[in-house]
Amino acid sequence: MTPRTLTRQEMYDLAWSKPMTQLAAEFELSDVGLRKICKAAKVPTPGLGYWAKLANGKKVIKTELPTLYPFQSQFLHIGGGSRSRYGYFDEPEKTDDELAQMELPPPPKFDETIDEVRLKIEALVPLIPIPKSISKPHPITERLLGYDADIAKEKYCFYKPRYQHPAGLRLLSALNSFFTYFEKLGFRVKVHGPRTQSMSVDMDGSYHYFRFVCFDDGNHFYRRKSSPGKAYGFSWTSDQDRMSENKDYREYVDITPEILRDLAIELLMDIEESKRGNIEWLYQRQVDKKNEAIANIAERKAKATLRRKQEADRIIENRLRLMSQALKDIRRAEKIQELIDALDKKVKTASKEIPGYSKWRAWAIHQVNSTDPRNMSIKRVGRWVERFHLK
């Protein structure tokens, strides 16, 4: 499957141009899988019977594409092997030559400054009211109450109930409002573990963990770190034991709608900054990969040049060694011949024949002929010249 990136508008136009089964086949997906990706990106798709009604001339309703908030992604990634925010995306493998010749897109520019986005988000986020009692508990709130009830029943449990006192109930009411608000924005709210009860919200494909604790409960592992007069502690973390060590840790005398609003703005701004950082990182990644490819090519060329030089040096060294050996062999052959000539003179002046001299002389003559390269055969000369590796 070839990875594709589309805007929400492009996906919306495709989804309403043909049946989902046909469109999904083009993406090499099932219609259920493609609907899930569209749903996550808040792209409406035609319901059951839409195309049959349209074919029969009956009245149909086309759902408009909703406008997303500034911090929500406007793209869908379909295809590939790595999990992305909406579906799957995988970078195609490219050679260094392809990367070096790759044309880089212009550096990312944003239509609005981060301060302008902050103003929009601040205008968007209202005060989050905290009712005195919870009339409609969020499913996560019900789960927290259930966890509390289970912990209270255990006689020797290390963890203590968190919300069975006035300050704890105030915190639970605030959390319930927090959960409800973010769920309306399309976030997924979760609680992790019946004992540690780490909480998170997820919109951009990653968990944003947070801890909101009350110092009046029996869990003294964070109570002992509180400041005098403070009743609540908060940090964007999943670690309750060391939450006070985080830079973003803060403590409150009370929880107010203004505090919840500030936390919501803080999270939404963090998502926006992370999104921009990711876009800039992806651009810089392309720049780095291109530069790295260019450096790799240059390094390979330098190594190839060095190898060629070393190979040339070895060939020259070998040639000189062959020539030097040939000259040594000539000198050696001449010395042996001189020895033969000198001994021949002595033998001629001898009064009687020297036993075995003729055999020695024949052997010595053979050494001269085989040692002296000037006596090589045409075939042997050819093999010897080949060893010089001349082009």
Side-chain angles (χ1 to χ4, degrees), residues 48-159:
L48 294 174
Y50 175 85
W51 297 105
K53 291 179 182 178
L54 187 65
N56 292 320
K58 294 183 179 180
K59 184 179 180 180
V60 292
I61 298 175
K62 184 176 180 180
T63 308
E64 293 184 0
L65 179 67
T67 302
L68 296 188
Y69 296 111
F71 52 84
Q72 293 175 304
S73 175
Q74 303 292 332
F75 296 93
L76 297 89
H77 302 299
I78 303 175
S82 302
R83 184 69 175 146
S84 181
R85 180 171 173 184
Y86 302 132
Y88 296 87
F89 179 75
D90 193 16
E91 283 187 336
E93 289 293 331
K94 291 184 179 180
T95 64
D96 282 342
D97 290 334
E98 291 173 332
L99 289 170
Q101 296 172 9
M102 175 179 65
E103 185 175 349
L104 290 173
K109 292 183 179 180
F110 303 101
D111 296 333
E112 299 172 308
T113 66
I114 195 67
D115 291 334
E116 289 172 337
V117 172
R118 176 180 289 278
L119 291 175
K120 276 192 173 182
I121 290 178
E122 288 176 350
L124 167 73
V125 180
L127 291 176
I128 302 176
I130 306 174
K132 293 182 179 179
S133 61
I134 303 174
S135 58
K136 187 178 180 181
H138 187 276
I140 299 299
T141 305
E142 292 179 338
R143 195 176 301 175
L144 292 175
L145 287 171
Y147 291 159
D148 244 19
D150 292 339
I151 292 173
K153 292 175 185 177
E154 297 184 27
K155 186 175 181 181
Y156 300 107
C157 182
F158 175 76
Y159 293 96

Side-chain angles (χ1 to χ4, degrees), residues 237-363:
T237 180
S238 62
D239 188 353
Q240 63 184 356
D241 296 327
R242 306 182 68 176
M243 61 182 291
S244 63
E245 298 175 13
N246 285 4
K247 291 182 179 179
D248 63 14
Y249 175 74
R250 73 291 306 263
E251 295 178 349
Y252 304 107
V253 176
D254 190 15
I255 308 175
T256 64
E258 289 79 11
I259 288 174
L260 293 187
R261 178 178 182 271
D262 290 343
L263 293 177
I265 292 172
E266 189 175 329
L267 174 60
L268 300 181
M269 284 302 301
D270 180 67
I271 291 174
E272 174 64 21
E273 290 170 355
S274 297
K275 185 185 75 174
R276 293 184 176 217
N278 186 58
I279 293 172
E280 291 170 343
W281 178 85
L282 288 173
Y283 171 76
Q284 189 59 45
R285 175 180 170 83
Q286 289 182 293
V287 173
D288 293 342
K289 291 183 78 170
K290 181 181 176 74
N291 292 338
E292 184 180 358
I294 293 172
N296 289 340
I297 292 172
E299 183 180 1
R300 285 199 298 272
K301 286 182 178 178
K303 287 182 178 180
T305 301
L306 180 61
R307 283 195 300 270
R308 288 194 295 270
K309 182 179 183 306
Q310 292 174 339
E311 182 63 23
D313 291 344
R314 282 194 295 269
I315 290 174
I316 292 172
E317 185 180 352
N318 184 61
R319 291 172 181 173
L320 294 176
R321 185 171 62 252
L322 288 171
M323 292 296 294
S324 178
Q325 186 62 46
L327 295 175
K328 286 181 181 179
D329 290 343
I330 289 173
R331 286 194 295 270
R332 183 183 177 193
E334 290 174 347
K335 293 295 182 182
I336 295 174
Q337 186 62 52
E338 289 176 5
L339 177 60
I340 293 171
D341 294 341
L343 293 181
D344 282 348
K345 289 180 181 180
K346 287 185 177 292
V347 170
K348 286 181 181 180
T349 59
S351 57
K352 58 181 180 179
E353 185 179 348
I354 299 175
Y357 178 75
S358 60
K359 290 184 177 181
W360 176 87
R361 189 178 187 281
W363 174 83

